[in-house]
Amino acid sequence: MPRPPAAREKLLAAYCEIVAGEGERAATLDAVAERAGVSKGGLLYHFKSKDALADAVIEGLHETAAADRELMAAAPEGPARYFVRGSLEATSDVDTYFNAVLRLATAQHPGATDALAAIHNEWLALIRDEVGDEAVAEAIMLIGDGLYYHAALPGAGDAASTASHFRSRVEHVLEQVEVLRAAAARQR
Amino acid sequence: MPRPPAAREKLLAAYCEIVAGEGERAATLDAVAERAGVSKGGLLYHFKSKDALADAVIEGLHETAAADRELMAAAPEGPARYFVRGSLEATSDVDTYFNAVLRLATAQHPGATDALAAIHNEWLALIRDEVGDEAVAEAIMLIGDGLYYHAALPGAGDAASTASHFRSRVEHVLEQVEVLRAAAARQR
DNA sequence: GTCTATAGTAAGATAGAC
DNA sequence: GTCTATCTTACTATAGAC
């Protein structure tokens, strides 16, 4: 692909990080420009407006999510476990974008919620194919969403404490997922 | 109790509604005052600052959550089902406050995350007492959190579509909860 | 392609009249 | 207790130099 200018990438990453880490409100043009090491004028050359910045993040989510979807489909432990584990870790490229877009969604940015829903449905489809039962697939998704809810919440005593609590229990959670899957298999 | 002035209540409700419905950013002093039918000066008589408004919402959450906790503990269907169902409905007093505080938490308001975590732990304790197994209790909580994550997200095609999707499946979800509970009981 | 300077606007908060 | 008027600051965005 025609490699986009480095400054543009830096600005996008900076915006993403501030939105995800300090909230949408903190992501002012000044703050983004400063974090990227660029002037405000420079920022506005690459992105005509603040909204354009947000739109670019949504596009970035779609791209990284497509790549991650391949990994999920091919995961040795299976899509369900891959998904649940990923909901907790939140360290990959997709997670950065996903997190930022989640904040944009709660800030009512047009298109953000739709993007989240679309990706969510792709994940659900993969899990449904694996476990072969709609209700179980949804329950597994909900557990993953629940984990994500905790991971995405800005830290009580900071994110690390909650995250580490669940990390130490992620295997227990995955066991419960296994119980659901087994019960569904028995019924078929 | 010494009934607080009506205007104060109106202002608090207006702020809550805007934060939950249009995002924290939309809840400007002007917007809140207008919705409550009060001038900005009037608002600032009751709440010295915007932060004071947010703090009052957090306090409101604690009060309503304490009342709801009684209902949950005494629910005929049991705390677990009460919790899962409540995560989807999000129509009660607590839900209004909880939703607003969730937005405040993502906007990094001090104390908001702690308030959510505290209430969350009370719920978890009730469910743990009921099902008698920590891992299962956590899995059930996660399912509820997942439902809430969907319910709280501003609507894809609007909240109604997602909510009604899960409403029609809430019994299926509760069945999965039952599977987990039964499996845990069998192990003891 | 990136900068400085600046215009225009919206938001939080104060002061003082009623 | 509620209002109007006003001050101040911070943010988005434009214009034009380098």
Side-chain angles (χ1 to χ4, degrees), chain A residues 2-184:
Chain A
R3 165 176 302 278
R8 208 195 118 102
E9 295 298 291
K10 268 194 167 178
L11 285 161
L12 197 56
Y15 176 72
C16 242
E17 286 163 20
I18 297 175
V19 168
E22 299 165 50
E24 192 270 338
R25 199 159 196 189
T28 64
L29 297 185
D30 281 298
V32 173
E34 189 188 331
R35 180 178 258 246
V38 174
S39 77
K40 218 186 330 189
L43 191 171
L44 286 160
Y45 168 79
H46 291 288
F47 300 95
K48 288 184 89 73
S49 71
K50 224 193 156 193
D51 271 14
L53 213 33
D55 290 340
V57 172
I58 293 177
E59 206 195 305
L61 173 62
H62 276 119
E63 284 164 17
T64 52
D68 183 72
R69 200 176 162 285
E70 306 297 312
L71 291 177
M72 180 169 169
E77 58 182 347
R81 290 179 74 96
Y82 179 93
F83 168 74
V84 170
R85 207 182 294 276
S87 296
L88 180 60
E89 302 293 337
T91 52
S92 72
D93 277 7
V94 222
D95 298 315
T96 313
Y97 279 110
F98 196 93
N99 221 298
V101 175
L102 178 60
R103 304 301 173 101
L104 292 177
T106 78
Q108 307 265 90
H109 185 89
T113 305
D114 290 339
L116 295 180
I119 288 163
H120 214 267
N121 282 337
E122 291 177 359
W123 289 340
L124 176 60
L126 284 178
I127 295 178
R128 192 193 301 119
D129 288 350
E130 182 190 7
V131 303
D133 182 293
E134 178 72 26
V136 174
E138 280 192 354
I140 292 172
M141 283 291 288
L142 289 173
I143 288 177
D145 292 341
L147 283 171
Y148 182 72
Y149 164 95
H150 288 283
L153 218 56
D158 94 300
S161 74
T162 316
S164 86
H165 168 253
F166 279 110
R167 211 186 319 281
S168 74
R169 278 171 178 64
V170 70
E171 290 309 323
H172 291 87
V173 171
L174 288 171
E175 260 172 50
Q176 301 301 318
V177 168
E178 216 50 58
V179 169
L180 291 178
R181 179 151 48 182

Side-chain angles (χ1 to χ4, degrees), chain B residues 7 38-39 41-42 45-46:
Chain B
V38 173
S39 76
Y45 169 78
H46 291 287

Side-chain angles (χ1 to χ4, degrees), chain A residues 139 142-143 146 166 172-177 180, chain B residues 83-84 124 127 133-146 177 180:
Chain A
L142 289 173
I143 288 177
F166 279 110
H172 291 87
V173 171
L174 288 171
E175 260 172 50
Q176 301 301 318
V177 168
L180 291 178
Chain B
F83 168 73
V84 170
L124 177 59
I127 295 178
D133 182 293
E134 178 71 25
V136 174
E138 280 192 352
I140 291 172
M141 282 292 288
L142 288 173
I143 288 177
D145 292 342
V177 168
L180 291 178

Side-chain angles (χ1 to χ4, degrees), chain B residues 4 17 32 43 48 57 87 120 133 136 140 143 152 171 175:
Chain B
E17 285 163 22
V32 173
L43 191 170
K48 288 183 89 75
V57 172
S87 297
H120 215 267
D133 182 293
V136 174
I140 291 172
I143 288 177
E171 289 309 323
E175 262 171 49

